[in-house]
Amino acid sequence: MAANSRLTIATHALTWLALAHRRGQEVLTSDQVAASVNTNPVIIRRSLGDLRRAGLVEVRHGAGAGWSLARAPEEITLLQVYDAVGGEQPFGLHHTEPNLECPVGRGIRPALTQTYGRVEQAIRRELADTSIADMLRETVTN
């Protein structure tokens, strides 16, 4: 089962934009962000497009083109990032209906739905309490 890395890529990109701004570089190109993430610039542009639609980054065209944060890193939470990149539920249920003649098959979906709902709420609370500034502080010590 593959994990979805969209939140990780978007958080990495935003943290790199925050560091660049702190160092006096107002914008970064998608190539510069992609070099840090070590991925294709197309993937970065797709992610930054999601973040732009959510109002978390801005794009500058023409001379000095590139991407920058739309607000202070302290004002961008990982929950906003998660929602911007289409955060999915962390766990899925069966792809097909379990055997309803079986006592476990009959009750497992409702039981898991409740448990998974509580897990997702805990994840959302933690993401809401963590900002891009927090990520920058935990990532870079200079």
Side-chain angles (χ1 to χ4, degrees):
M1 176 180 345
N4 184 327
S5 62
R6 287 184 293 190
L7 175 61
T8 298
I9 290 169
T11 301
H12 185 141
L14 290 168
T15 304
W16 181 220
L17 289 170
L19 179 61
H21 179 77
R22 186 168 88 183
R23 291 179 171 174
Q25 191 170 357
E26 292 302 314
V27 297
L28 291 176
T29 66
S30 53
D31 286 345
Q32 290 171 309
V33 176
S36 177
V37 178
N38 197 24
T39 193
N40 190 299
V42 171
I43 293 171
I44 296 303
R45 282 191 288 277
R46 207 172 291 139
S47 180
L48 290 171
D50 291 337
L51 297 172
R52 182 183 53 76
R53 282 185 287 283
L56 303 178
V57 297
E58 298 172 334
V59 63
R60 183 184 303 170
H61 300 284
W67 298 87
S68 61
L69 296 180
R71 51 183 110 143
E74 297 80 14
E75 297 174 10
I76 301 173
T77 69
L78 292 192
L79 180 58
Q80 293 167 322
V81 179
Y82 178 76
D83 289 339
V85 298
E88 300 172 354
Q89 292 184 348
F91 306 106
L93 295 175
H94 310 79
H95 291 290
T96 60
E97 183 79 24
N99 179 353
L100 299 180
E101 299 298 316
C102 170
V104 172
R106 187 172 38 255
I108 194 72
R109 282 183 134 184
L112 286 174
T113 298
Q114 289 178 0
T115 299
Y116 293 167
R118 289 190 303 271
V119 169
E120 184 175 8
Q121 288 307 310
I123 289 170
R124 293 181 70 80
R125 278 191 304 275
E126 185 64 30
L127 293 175
D129 288 343
T130 306
S131 71
I132 293 300
D134 296 328
M135 289 289 96
L136 182 57
R137 208 171 13 263
E138 293 177 26
T139 304
V140 180
T141 57
N142 60 356

Tab-separated table of all heavy atoms in Angstrom, residues 1 88-98 104-117 120:
chain	number	residue	atom	x	y	z
A	1	MET	N	0.850	-1.173	0.000
A	1	MET	CA	0.000	0.000	0.000
A	1	MET	C	0.900	1.242	0.000
A	1	MET	O	1.712	1.432	0.892
A	1	MET	CB	-0.892	-0.030	1.245
A	1	MET	CG	-1.741	1.161	1.411
A	1	MET	SD	-2.825	1.199	2.876
A	1	MET	CE	-2.861	-0.449	3.478
A	88	GLU	N	-6.588	13.116	1.893
A	88	GLU	CA	-7.478	11.963	1.872
A	88	GLU	C	-7.558	11.349	3.257
A	88	GLU	O	-6.664	11.527	4.081
A	88	GLU	CB	-6.938	10.923	0.893
A	88	GLU	CG	-6.831	11.443	-0.527
A	88	GLU	CD	-6.110	10.474	-1.445
A	88	GLU	OE1	-5.593	9.448	-0.962
A	88	GLU	OE2	-6.057	10.763	-2.645
A	89	GLN	N	-8.610	10.593	3.487
A	89	GLN	CA	-8.718	9.895	4.756
A	89	GLN	C	-7.535	8.940	4.889
A	89	GLN	O	-7.121	8.330	3.902
A	89	GLN	CB	-10.030	9.133	4.842
A	89	GLN	CG	-11.237	10.024	4.909
A	89	GLN	CD	-12.520	9.232	5.090
A	89	GLN	OE1	-12.541	8.024	4.954
A	89	GLN	NE2	-13.585	9.936	5.390
A	90	PRO	N	-6.981	8.829	6.084
A	90	PRO	CA	-5.784	7.997	6.247
A	90	PRO	C	-6.029	6.502	6.039
A	90	PRO	O	-5.111	5.772	5.695
A	90	PRO	CB	-5.328	8.284	7.677
A	90	PRO	CG	-6.511	8.891	8.353
A	90	PRO	CD	-7.365	9.505	7.298
A	91	PHE	N	-7.250	6.054	6.201
A	91	PHE	CA	-7.561	4.630	6.069
A	91	PHE	C	-8.812	4.461	5.220
A	91	PHE	O	-9.735	5.247	5.297
A	91	PHE	CB	-7.819	3.987	7.443
A	91	PHE	CG	-6.699	4.199	8.418
A	91	PHE	CD1	-6.832	5.103	9.457
A	91	PHE	CD2	-5.511	3.501	8.291
A	91	PHE	CE1	-5.806	5.306	10.356
A	91	PHE	CE2	-4.478	3.706	9.188
A	91	PHE	CZ	-4.617	4.604	10.223
A	92	GLY	N	-8.833	3.396	4.443
A	92	GLY	CA	-10.001	3.090	3.631
A	92	GLY	C	-10.656	1.804	4.100
A	92	GLY	O	-10.031	0.973	4.750
A	93	LEU	N	-11.909	1.683	3.756
A	93	LEU	CA	-12.638	0.459	4.073
A	93	LEU	C	-12.493	-0.537	2.926
A	93	LEU	O	-11.886	-0.229	1.893
A	93	LEU	CB	-14.111	0.783	4.325
A	93	LEU	CG	-14.389	1.653	5.552
A	93	LEU	CD1	-15.866	2.003	5.627
A	93	LEU	CD2	-13.932	0.954	6.827
A	94	HIS	N	-13.075	-1.700	3.114
A	94	HIS	CA	-13.051	-2.735	2.080
A	94	HIS	C	-13.483	-2.156	0.730
A	94	HIS	O	-14.381	-1.322	0.678
A	94	HIS	CB	-14.029	-3.869	2.416
A	94	HIS	CG	-13.923	-4.422	3.787
A	94	HIS	ND1	-14.462	-3.798	4.881
A	94	HIS	CD2	-13.353	-5.561	4.241
A	94	HIS	CE1	-14.237	-4.518	5.962
A	94	HIS	NE2	-13.557	-5.602	5.594
A	95	HIS	N	-12.898	-2.679	-0.335
A	95	HIS	CA	-13.323	-2.252	-1.673
A	95	HIS	C	-14.651	-2.900	-2.051
A	95	HIS	O	-15.390	-2.377	-2.870
A	95	HIS	CB	-12.254	-2.588	-2.717
A	95	HIS	CG	-11.015	-1.764	-2.554
A	95	HIS	ND1	-10.982	-0.410	-2.823
A	95	HIS	CD2	-9.774	-2.089	-2.133
A	95	HIS	CE1	-9.779	0.053	-2.576
A	95	HIS	NE2	-9.025	-0.942	-2.154
A	96	THR	N	-14.938	-4.043	-1.459
A	96	THR	CA	-16.216	-4.723	-1.692
A	96	THR	C	-16.897	-4.943	-0.354
A	96	THR	O	-16.257	-4.981	0.697
A	96	THR	CB	-16.004	-6.085	-2.389
A	96	THR	OG1	-15.183	-6.901	-1.566
A	96	THR	CG2	-15.350	-5.908	-3.753
A	97	GLU	N	-18.192	-5.075	-0.400
A	97	GLU	CA	-18.986	-5.298	0.819
A	97	GLU	C	-18.578	-6.626	1.468
A	97	GLU	O	-18.533	-7.648	0.792
A	97	GLU	CB	-20.477	-5.332	0.446
A	97	GLU	CG	-21.417	-5.479	1.610
A	97	GLU	CD	-21.637	-4.172	2.342
A	97	GLU	OE1	-21.461	-3.107	1.746
A	97	GLU	OE2	-21.985	-4.231	3.528
A	98	PRO	N	-18.264	-6.613	2.775
A	98	PRO	CA	-17.964	-7.877	3.451
A	98	PRO	C	-19.204	-8.783	3.479
A	98	PRO	O	-20.322	-8.329	3.231
A	98	PRO	CB	-17.581	-7.460	4.869
A	98	PRO	CG	-17.347	-6.001	4.824
A	98	PRO	CD	-18.129	-5.468	3.657
A	104	VAL	N	-18.799	-10.789	12.013
A	104	VAL	CA	-17.739	-9.779	11.885
A	104	VAL	C	-17.965	-8.954	10.624
A	104	VAL	O	-17.876	-7.723	10.642
A	104	VAL	CB	-16.336	-10.439	11.879
A	104	VAL	CG1	-15.248	-9.407	11.558
A	104	VAL	CG2	-16.058	-11.105	13.216
A	105	GLY	N	-18.274	-9.637	9.517
A	105	GLY	CA	-18.534	-8.939	8.257
A	105	GLY	C	-19.667	-7.939	8.374
A	105	GLY	O	-19.634	-6.860	7.774
A	106	ARG	N	-20.670	-8.249	9.163
A	106	ARG	CA	-21.831	-7.381	9.354
A	106	ARG	C	-21.474	-6.133	10.168
A	106	ARG	O	-21.982	-5.055	9.900
A	106	ARG	CB	-22.949	-8.176	10.046
A	106	ARG	CG	-24.263	-7.463	10.158
A	106	ARG	CD	-25.415	-8.340	10.682
A	106	ARG	NE	-25.050	-9.281	11.738
A	106	ARG	CZ	-24.900	-10.615	11.566
A	106	ARG	NH1	-25.068	-11.169	10.386
A	106	ARG	NH2	-24.578	-11.391	12.579
A	107	GLY	N	-20.581	-6.257	11.127
A	107	GLY	CA	-20.329	-5.136	12.037
A	107	GLY	C	-19.001	-4.416	11.866
A	107	GLY	O	-18.799	-3.371	12.487
A	108	ILE	N	-18.120	-4.935	11.023
A	108	ILE	CA	-16.772	-4.356	10.963
A	108	ILE	C	-16.748	-2.962	10.335
A	108	ILE	O	-16.030	-2.082	10.813
A	108	ILE	CB	-15.793	-5.312	10.233
A	108	ILE	CG1	-14.342	-4.883	10.467
A	108	ILE	CG2	-16.093	-5.401	8.745
A	108	ILE	CD1	-13.841	-5.139	11.834
A	109	ARG	N	-17.523	-2.746	9.309
A	109	ARG	CA	-17.501	-1.432	8.657
A	109	ARG	C	-17.956	-0.307	9.585
A	109	ARG	O	-17.261	0.709	9.698
A	109	ARG	CB	-18.331	-1.452	7.377
A	109	ARG	CG	-17.605	-2.109	6.234
A	109	ARG	CD	-18.400	-2.054	4.971
A	109	ARG	NE	-17.494	-1.638	3.906
A	109	ARG	CZ	-17.869	-1.411	2.681
A	109	ARG	NH1	-19.134	-1.516	2.349
A	109	ARG	NH2	-16.988	-1.059	1.782
A	110	PRO	N	-19.094	-0.445	10.277
A	110	PRO	CA	-19.490	0.634	11.203
A	110	PRO	C	-18.457	0.847	12.318
A	110	PRO	O	-18.175	1.991	12.693
A	110	PRO	CB	-20.829	0.161	11.771
A	110	PRO	CG	-21.347	-0.830	10.790
A	110	PRO	CD	-20.142	-1.468	10.166
A	111	ALA	N	-17.899	-0.240	12.835
A	111	ALA	CA	-16.915	-0.109	13.912
A	111	ALA	C	-15.662	0.608	13.417
A	111	ALA	O	-15.140	1.515	14.084
A	111	ALA	CB	-16.561	-1.493	14.465
A	112	LEU	N	-15.168	0.211	12.248
A	112	LEU	CA	-13.967	0.859	11.702
A	112	LEU	C	-14.238	2.305	11.314
A	112	LEU	O	-13.375	3.170	11.507
A	112	LEU	CB	-13.447	0.077	10.492
A	112	LEU	CG	-12.750	-1.234	10.812
A	112	LEU	CD1	-12.414	-1.981	9.528
A	112	LEU	CD2	-11.510	-1.010	11.651
A	113	THR	N	-15.422	2.588	10.795
A	113	THR	CA	-15.767	3.960	10.417
A	113	THR	C	-15.676	4.885	11.626
A	113	THR	O	-15.128	5.995	11.539
A	113	THR	CB	-17.172	4.009	9.788
A	113	THR	OG1	-17.163	3.217	8.592
A	113	THR	CG2	-17.593	5.430	9.449
A	114	GLN	N	-16.190	4.444	12.774
A	114	GLN	CA	-16.110	5.262	13.993
A	114	GLN	C	-14.660	5.448	14.432
A	114	GLN	O	-14.238	6.561	14.757
A	114	GLN	CB	-16.918	4.614	15.118
A	114	GLN	CG	-18.403	4.690	14.913
A	114	GLN	CD	-19.160	3.988	16.029
A	114	GLN	OE1	-18.584	3.447	16.964
A	114	GLN	NE2	-20.485	4.006	15.943
A	115	THR	N	-13.904	4.377	14.459
A	115	THR	CA	-12.503	4.453	14.887
A	115	THR	C	-11.705	5.337	13.942
A	115	THR	O	-10.956	6.213	14.379
A	115	THR	CB	-11.883	3.049	14.963
A	115	THR	OG1	-12.621	2.287	15.915
A	115	THR	CG2	-10.425	3.108	15.353
A	116	TYR	N	-11.852	5.109	12.651
A	116	TYR	CA	-11.114	5.910	11.669
A	116	TYR	C	-11.508	7.380	11.736
A	116	TYR	O	-10.668	8.262	11.528
A	116	TYR	CB	-11.334	5.370	10.261
A	116	TYR	CG	-10.739	3.996	10.008
A	116	TYR	CD1	-11.090	3.289	8.865
A	116	TYR	CD2	-9.845	3.398	10.887
A	116	TYR	CE1	-10.557	2.029	8.608
A	116	TYR	CE2	-9.318	2.138	10.640
A	116	TYR	CZ	-9.671	1.464	9.488
A	116	TYR	OH	-9.152	0.230	9.229
A	117	GLY	N	-12.761	7.661	12.026
A	117	GLY	CA	-13.201	9.047	12.177
A	117	GLY	C	-12.484	9.736	13.332
A	117	GLY	O	-12.069	10.886	13.215
A	120	GLU	N	-8.852	10.381	12.255
A	120	GLU	CA	-8.752	11.525	11.347
A	120	GLU	C	-8.894	12.840	12.107
A	120	GLU	O	-8.186	13.813	11.823
A	120	GLU	CB	-9.785	11.446	10.235
A	120	GLU	CG	-9.600	12.591	9.250
A	120	GLU	CD	-10.507	12.527	8.048
A	120	GLU	OE1	-11.414	11.680	7.998
A	120	GLU	OE2	-10.301	13.354	7.150
